[in-house]
C-alpha cells in the first residue's frame, strides 16, 4: 500500500474532501431541531439508529465527516484507506436515496426534486471506488 497519493488522485480527493469537511463542520454546532431532522431521516432508512440520541448522532456524523474530509485532503493518508472509507460513506448516502420514500420518481431510479440532493452523492461513490480499484490493481 502506497503511503502517498499519486498526483492524479489529488484533484478528486481534494474535491470530495473539501465538500465532506465543509459538511461536517456545518453540522458541528447543529441545533436540536436540525439534529432531529438529520437523525429522523437516517433512522427511517437505517432502523438500528432509532435508539440513538439525535444530538449524539449528529455530533458523531459531524466528527466522521470531518475525519473523512481531512483524510482525503491530506495526501499522505493512503488512497486505498481513504477510498474504502469514502466508498462506505457514499454507499450509506445512496442508501438514503434508494430507501427514503419520495426521493425517486415512481418506477425507476430517476430522482424526484427532493431526491436531487442525495442522488448527486453518486460522484462520491465513483471517486471512492476509483481510488480503491486503482490501488488494488497497483498492488498486483
Amino acid at each position: 500500500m502506497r503511503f502517498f497519493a499519486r498526483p492524479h488522485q489529488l484533484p478528486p480527493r481534494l474535491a470530495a474532501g473539501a465538500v465532506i469537511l465543509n459538511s461536517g463542520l456545518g453540522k458541528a454546532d447543529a441545533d436540536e431541531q436540525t439534529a432531529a431532522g438529520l437523525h429522523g431521516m437516517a433512522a427511517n432508512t437505517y432502523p438500528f439508529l432509532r435508539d440513538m440520541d439525535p444530538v449524539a448522532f449528529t455530533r458523531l456524523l459531524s466528527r466522521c465527516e470531518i475525519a473523512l474530509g481531512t483524510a482525503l485532503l491530506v495526501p499522505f493518508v493512503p488512497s486505498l484507506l481513504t477510498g474504502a472509507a469514502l466508498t462506505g460513506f457514499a454507499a450509506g448516502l445512496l442508501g438514503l436515496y434508494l430507501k427514503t420514500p419520495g426521493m425517486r420518481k415512481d418506477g425507476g431510479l430517476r430522482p424526484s426534486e427532493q431526491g436531487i440532493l442525495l442522488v448527486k452523492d453518486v460522484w462520491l461513490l465513483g471517486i471512492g471506488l476509483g481510488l480503491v480499484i486503482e490501488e488494488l490493481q497497483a498492488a498486483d
Side-chain angles (χ1 to χ4, degrees):
M1 179 167 47
R2 293 176 57 102
F3 288 98
F4 198 82
R6 293 173 173 87
H8 68 275
Q9 294 173 333
L10 293 177
R13 283 182 62 156
L14 294 174
V19 169
I20 294 168
L21 178 59
N22 183 62
S23 179
L25 292 172
K27 290 178 181 79
D29 295 323
D31 60 25
E32 287 189 29
Q33 183 178 358
T34 301
L38 288 169
H39 177 260
M41 186 172 185
N44 284 334
T45 302
Y46 301 110
F48 67 89
L49 295 172
R50 285 193 181 129
D51 293 334
M52 191 170 195
D53 174 67
V55 173
F57 167 78
T58 303
R59 207 174 293 133
L60 178 63
L61 177 60
S62 170
R63 289 176 182 159
C64 289
E65 287 181 340
I66 290 168
L68 177 56
T70 301
L72 285 159
L73 291 171
V74 178
F76 58 79
V77 178
S79 290
L80 180 59
L81 178 63
T82 59
L86 180 57
T87 298
F89 179 72
L93 292 173
L94 290 175
L96 285 172
Y97 170 72
L98 292 171
K99 295 179 180 182
T100 302
M103 294 292 129
R104 295 178 288 127
K105 292 182 179 178
D106 291 336
L109 292 175
R110 292 182 54 219
S112 65
E113 285 189 38
Q114 297 83 6
I116 292 289
L117 291 173
L118 287 174
V119 75
K120 66 168 180 44
D121 293 327
V122 73
W123 68 277
L124 295 174
L125 182 64
I127 291 171
L129 286 172
L131 291 170
V132 169
I133 290 168
E134 180 180 14
E135 292 302 315
L136 291 176
Q137 285 180 336
D140 290 342

